Amino acid sequence: MFGPGSQFHALFNDPRWALAMIRATVLEAAHPQIGAALLDNSTFVAHPWRRLRNTFTSMQRVFGADDDVRQREAARLNRLHARLRGTDPHDRPYDAMDPGVRAWVVATLFESAVTMRRLSGQPLQPTATARLYAECQAFLALMGDEAGHLPHTLDAFWPYYDRTVAEELENTEAMRIILYRLFDHLPAPPLLTDFPALWATGRSVVGPVIGAITVASLPEPFRRRAGLPEIAGVPTLMQGAYLAAGLARFLPDQWIQAEGITELLTLSPGSDDPRARTVAALRDQVKRAGALIRLITPLPPEPEPSAEDGTVGDGARRSAREFFAEVLDQTGDGYLDWPDLAAMARELSGRLDLDEPEETRLYNAYADWWRELQTALDTDGDGRVSAHEYAAAAPSLAGPALIRVAEVLFDATDSNGNGRIDADEHRALFRTAFHRDTTTTDSEGTYTRSEFITTFLTFMSGRHRTTPYDPILAES
């Protein structure tokens, strides 16, 4: 049911799968429990490209050939889901470990894959559909969920799906964000951050089109009940988009390899990957051309940095408000609270592929830091820290709890326990080799414990941009 011969594995490099994944995510977010969990805990608003890469990496692990990797990933996902529980704005509880909710997530992936093939004029054959459904059931079994939450047979699935769409799905805020606001404010991937005008222009055209196509592909009963607009001509546009994406499969394999495309979109400009250097060289050429244009037609000067925001006039530093928005507010809701720091712990744990108890130690260290921040910064007592509260205090964050976070992160990164971070351990965390500006004090050219902690604290309290932590915690 898993590995290179599976139906799901074949979807990875199918260009149509991108459209199907957006559709499935909308249907997931329309479920009240999933929508609330996404809104409270997910980084899909503030860091969509990171979320894209992490989701794809997780699917690769589950549907890859290595069973040990698959079992480890299932255990990691269960630990992640166990931490996601709370209540929605209507005081209804949500729990990411609810087996019925997890069955719905898998159901949306299955149904969207079937719909993707139908809309592109290549419907799945009955045997392939049955095999895909069996793989969905196998995935839930891998996660440890009891059978029956997803119907046992394919014939029973469609009444279950129709009933859930008609009775349980809602026009949730998370669903509206994905459909309408996510693309409106989607930040540029790391390699395009130097071209905000170009990115904004393309996004303003593509975003509404993708949103309209997604709406047109949703089940009609849900569209009516949720009050989603029906625009003349969009069903034809949707059909054309799926057909065009299907034709892309005839392109050379290296052009449509999902892993390569995902890595390129999420590649940090400072990476030592040869592709990053190539794109950086191209970006420099475009910058020079842009500078020449500005000389010919000068633009109005940009305003000077404001002292109120904590800007010190050094391009290597962030203002307090920038630091809050880019680093601390991981969920993008305008506030700092526990889900933001939990998202940091989740990202670092995922990069290092931590098992218990190392993962729990890192989460506990972040929880202690959150309590320290809450005590120092939550002046109005509402249980969270606003951007104004943070910028007004502009504190030095290097308290005992943050130092403990740095120590625990060092221990987790130092996988062989020799008290130093070598090149392989550095790459596991930062996904890049040592940079020339990395200071080392030992003869072996490794990262010492004190240097690692100092760099982390400098990033978190000094708000410096030029550290390896930017691609992990600040970039989208």
Side-chain angles (χ1 to χ4, degrees), residues 120-285:
S120 58
Q122 289 184 310
L124 282 172
Q125 296 299 314
T127 53
T129 304
R131 174 62 184 260
L132 185 65
Y133 189 67
E135 290 173 12
C136 291
Q137 293 174 313
F139 174 73
L140 288 174
L142 174 72
M143 298 294 289
D145 292 353
E146 295 180 0
H149 295 283
L150 194 68
H152 289 292
T153 66
L154 187 54
D155 288 341
F157 170 80
W158 298 111
Y160 151 81
Y161 178 83
D162 292 340
R163 184 175 62 254
T164 303
V165 167
E167 298 176 3
E168 296 190 34
L169 301 193
E170 299 177 1
N171 189 344
T172 65
E173 184 177 353
M175 187 202 75
R176 293 193 298 272
I177 288 175
I178 295 170
L179 277 177
Y180 302 120
R181 289 170 48 197
L182 182 60
F183 287 104
D184 286 347
H185 304 286
L186 185 67
L191 289 177
L192 296 178
T193 51
D194 289 334
F195 309 107
L198 178 63
W199 176 255
T201 300
R203 182 186 60 201
S204 65
V205 174
V206 175
V209 171
I210 294 179
I213 288 172
T214 304
V215 169
S217 70
L218 296 175
E220 185 178 353
F222 176 66
R223 290 205 312 269
R224 288 199 306 268
R225 195 158 56 87
L228 297 175
E230 296 185 15
I231 304 173
V234 171
T236 303
L237 176 64
M238 172 194 66
Q239 193 84 40
Y242 274 94
L243 288 172
L247 292 175
R249 70 186 184 278
F250 296 112
L251 294 171
D253 288 344
Q254 62 270 25
W255 290 15
I256 58 174
Q257 285 288 331
E259 182 175 8
I261 294 172
T262 304
E263 288 180 353
L264 186 62
L265 286 172
T266 58
L267 206 56
S268 169
S271 172
D272 61 336
D273 191 299
R275 293 169 298 181
R277 291 195 293 270
T278 300
V279 175
L282 178 61
R283 185 174 60 240
D284 289 341
Q285 294 298 322

